[in-house]
Amino acid sequence: MQSKLSDIELIEQTLAGNQFAYADLVKRHQRFVFTLAMRFAKGREDAEEIAQDCFVKAYRSLASFQGQSKFTTWLYSIVYTTAMTFLRKKRVDTDSIDDEGTFVQVESHESAYDTNNVENKSRSYYLNQAIEQLLPDDATIITLFYKGEQSLEEIAQTMGIETNTVKVKLFRARQRLKEKLERNLKHEVKELI
């Protein structure tokens, strides 16, 4: 069965003409690619478009994959560049984290929940909500590091930046995430961090 094969074996089969092998690669990585795309696009339709573009680009460029890094690192770098290109083309209006309107919107949204409702929601829901409020680079680094379990070196390669820069950006992204969580959850944040 194809799904038992490694990414490298599936790539070799795809390059040999087996399109089903590439379908298995897509199935194996589609959820995480979509998650990363959502960190940039914020809308399901745009994220689906980014994810689809990524897999098409990956397929067309598969012969250039040299295996010097993990396939996922190579694929996630395609996601990153595709998403950045998409955002430039769309000219998405992103709000600064310092924008007071964003804070008012978040505060009014959160005030609609009563204490019992907040206690009943899962930790991951609030964590994902806070990640969605981060800038795309911050959300990407947090997602790659924690959800993708990528090393600092792999993230650096994916994003095309130095490893030390990733360390600094990860530190700052964690700080901003903590601020978002504190703002959204107030006292509950101590349990999450």
Side-chain angles (χ1 to χ4, degrees):
M1 188 164 126
Q2 298 267 354
S3 61
K4 300 269 186 209
L5 299 175
S6 71
D7 286 348
I8 300 298
E9 291 169 325
L10 289 172
I11 290 167
E12 290 170 354
Q13 287 190 8
T14 301
L15 292 174
N18 182 352
Q19 292 181 350
F20 294 111
Y22 191 70
D24 284 345
L25 273 174
V26 170
K27 286 177 192 169
R28 184 176 290 174
H29 300 289
Q30 68 186 357
R31 291 183 69 201
F32 195 69
V33 167
F34 179 75
T35 299
L36 280 177
M38 279 294 290
R39 299 288 181 234
F40 288 99
K42 307 287 191 224
R44 185 170 191 82
E45 295 83 19
D46 289 343
E48 287 172 351
E49 184 177 336
I50 291 170
Q52 183 176 2
D53 287 350
C54 291
F55 283 115
V56 169
K57 288 179 183 179
Y59 182 77
R60 289 181 181 157
S61 303
L62 204 54
S64 70
F65 175 68
Q66 298 173 357
Q68 294 173 346
S69 62
K70 291 193 301 187
F71 173 72
T72 54
T73 301
W74 182 76
L75 180 62
Y76 301 154
S77 66
I78 293 173
V79 175
Y80 180 76
T81 55
T82 302
M84 296 310 280
T85 302
F86 179 84
L87 289 175
R88 272 188 234 110
K89 284 181 182 176
K90 268 244 157 24
R91 299 279 186 226
V92 175
D93 182 30
T94 57
D95 294 330
S96 167
I97 31 179
D98 296 328
D99 185 6
E100 291 180 73
T102 303
F103 296 136
V104 170
Q105 183 180 14
V106 169
E107 288 173 2
S108 66
H109 177 71
E110 288 300 319
S111 66
Y113 292 108
D114 62 7
T115 306
N116 290 335
N117 199 11
V118 171
E119 290 174 354
N120 292 333
K121 294 292 182 181
S122 72
R123 289 179 179 170
S124 65
Y125 170 80
Y126 287 107
L127 189 57
N128 284 330
Q129 291 290 64
I131 291 172
E132 287 177 12
Q133 294 172 10
L134 295 173
L135 294 174
D137 272 356
D138 289 345
T140 299
I141 287 178
I142 294 285
T143 303
L144 288 173
F145 189 75
Y146 290 105
K147 292 187 177 183
E149 297 179 358
Q150 296 225 330
S151 69
L152 297 174
E153 293 79 18
E154 290 170 327
I155 295 170
Q157 190 173 1
T158 297
M159 297 181 76
I161 57 179
E162 296 294 322
T163 303
N164 285 338
T165 305
V166 172
K167 287 180 188 176
V168 171
K169 285 182 171 260
L170 181 60
F171 175 79
R172 291 179 181 161
R174 285 178 184 146
Q175 292 300 107
R176 287 191 270 272
L177 180 61
K178 180 181 175 187
E179 290 169 7
K180 298 288 184 193
L181 287 169
E182 285 174 342
R183 187 174 300 110
N184 293 347
L185 297 176
K186 309 240 184 314
H187 304 292
E188 290 87 348
V189 75
K190 291 178 184 171
E191 292 177 26
L192 289 172
I193 295 180

